[in-house]
Amino acid sequence: MLALRLARGSHPLVLMRRLLVAAASAGVGFLLLCTLGYTAAHPHSAGAVLRLLWCFVPLAATVQFAVAVARTDPSTRPRTGLSAVGLGPVKLSVLAAISTAVSCTLGSAVALLFFLHLRGDLTGLPFDGAAADLLGADASLPVAAVLLLLALVPVAAATASALALRGRASGAARETDDGGDLVPAAEIPAPAAPPAGLPWGVALTAAGLAVEAYASRGTPGSPFPLPGKLDATPASVLVGWTLTAIGLATAGPGLTHLCGKLLQTVRPGAVRLLAGRVLMDEARRIGRPLGIVCAVLSAVIAAFALYGTGPRPFGPLTALGAVLVVGCTTATLLTSALEARQARAETARALLRLGAPASALRAATALRAGALLVFFAPLTWAIAELAALPLTP
């Protein structure tokens, strides 16, 4: 009940982010139900398992987005005196999990209604049974399997949000001083230590590209048919892309830290120094979603390089999955950037009190965004070319 009251009194932008989480959950639930319908209509098909595995890519992107939204929710932020009224780190993480579960459950319910309507099980509305053949309307669906698939997103998102918020709230509680405030606002950002994991990330990315190259052996001149039929896609391609995405996510914080360090080379001025220091400090927060966006965009570029000018169209379910993955990962990056802005708000106010012009802070923000674009855009393009090269006929 408390979670519902907090949601009702939230800012419109907060409610909008929760609705986006519900929409993403609805999309993933619809893909999972479509996979179940295909399995029920083709019980002996070997492609059912692969279709289900491909559904876990948008599911993971949705869970990541839900966690990012939960972390930026003002109602889950630790405040002075909350522990005294019973809202400590554990309680805040529970509230975050409940709010996330409510949003995702709403999306799953919408997905079920939309799926049954397009399948023809619900009548009385336009487009009744419009996709009956695609969704396997002739086969009955086991109720237990439907409920299990629809519960995947709410359970996974709520659990991940609870764990993420509990760790953040506990860390904030440890940093609280005797007066009840967080670290002193006048403290200017010091150079942060480089995040670990860059060598492992590079190794995983190289391994993923090698697996994708190995997957193309034995089928010269025939790239993997992902956009048309998911059941014809080699499983090794999914494994290779997953390894590449994990590698870029692991290397993202280290690459972001390196980008901030490069900003401060060769006699930096005040703006470049501030931009580089902040970027190094935020490397762990925005580096991972930035690496995932890099992986997703490289996959999109590689797909268009293979199929963009060809006659083979993208299937509707593949298009839906691609929109979910691209949209959720991009929204996660923007939400993480908003969280980073909230985290450095005290430092920004301290700099303004010390006499720093507001234009310098805006210039530092623009410089950080430009540096990340210059650094990660060629990297994304290079990975896309390397991924598409062995698959090009």
Side-chain angles (χ1 to χ4, degrees):
M1 185 61 68
L2 178 58
L4 293 177
R5 289 182 178 180
L6 291 175
R8 187 180 61 180
S10 299
H11 192 274
L13 291 179
V14 177
L15 293 177
M16 178 63 67
R17 291 196 292 267
R18 289 175 178 170
L19 288 177
L20 289 177
V21 171
S25 176
V28 175
F30 183 77
L31 287 178
L32 291 171
L33 291 177
C34 290
T35 302
L36 180 61
Y38 176 84
T39 305
H42 307 82
H44 303 292
S45 175
V49 176
L50 187 57
R51 284 172 174 256
L52 182 62
L53 290 177
W54 272 113
C55 289
F56 280 95
V57 177
L59 188 149
T62 301
V63 170
Q64 183 196 24
F65 178 45
V67 172
V69 169
R71 290 177 63 92
T72 56
D73 194 338
S75 63
T76 62
R77 198 175 305 156
R79 295 183 181 88
T80 304
L82 287 181
S83 297
V85 296
L87 291 177
V90 176
K91 187 66 173 182
L92 288 176
S93 63
V94 171
L95 289 177
I98 293 175
S99 299
T100 304
V102 169
S103 300
C104 294
T105 302
L106 174 63
S108 297
V110 172
L112 178 61
L113 294 176
F114 192 65
F115 174 80
L116 294 177
H117 169 59
L118 291 181
R119 200 169 181 262
D121 296 333
L122 297 179
T123 58
L125 295 174
F127 306 105
D128 287 334
D133 296 335
L134 180 64
L135 304 182
D138 296 334
S140 59
L141 300 179
V143 178
V146 171
L147 296 179
L148 177 62
L149 291 179
L150 291 179
L152 284 179
V153 178
V155 171
T159 303
S161 299
L163 294 176
L165 267 295
R166 183 174 183 178
R168 187 191 70 172
S170 300
R174 288 192 299 267
E175 294 175 359
T176 304
D177 61 6
D178 294 336
D181 295 328
L182 296 179
V183 292
E187 182 179 335
I188 306 301
L198 181 57
W200 285 104
V202 174
L204 286 173
T205 303
L209 293 174
V211 170
E212 292 183 27
Y214 181 80
S216 65
R217 295 181 59 185
T219 54
S222 177
F224 70 98
L226 171 63
K229 294 178 62 179
L230 289 177
D231 54 349
T233 304
S236 52
V237 173
L238 175 60
V239 174
W241 185 87
T242 303
L243 287 175
T244 302
I246 294 175
L248 289 174
T250 305
L255 294 176
T256 305
H257 188 276
L258 177 62
C259 185
K261 191 174 183 179
L262 292 176
L263 270 179
Q264 304 172 68
T265 57
V266 192
R267 304 171 67 178
V271 174
R272 267 207 298 147
L273 184 63
L274 178 62
R277 291 286 177 86
V278 172
L279 199 55
M280 293 169 67
D281 186 61
E282 296 175 352
R284 290 176 173 84
R285 182 177 285 112
I286 67 173
R288 184 169 288 106
L290 190 58
I292 294 177
V293 169
C294 179
V296 170
L297 291 181
S298 64
V300 172
I301 294 173
F304 271 98
L306 293 172
Y307 302 106
T309 58
R312 192 183 184 92
F314 288 89
L317 298 182
T318 303
L320 175 60
V323 169
L324 284 173
V325 173
V326 173
C328 287
T329 52
T330 304
T332 301
L333 178 59
L334 296 177
T335 307
S336 300
L338 176 61
E339 182 189 3
R341 181 182 178 183
Q342 294 173 352
R344 66 174 184 270
E346 290 293 332
T347 302
R349 284 192 289 267
L351 291 174
L352 292 175
R353 286 196 301 268
L354 292 174
S359 59
L361 299 183
R362 291 192 294 268
T365 301
L367 187 58
R368 289 196 303 273
L372 290 176
L373 181 62
V374 170
F375 189 88
F376 278 91
L379 177 64
T380 303
W381 186 265
I383 293 177
E385 292 294 325
L386 291 175
L389 184 62
L391 302 173
T392 304

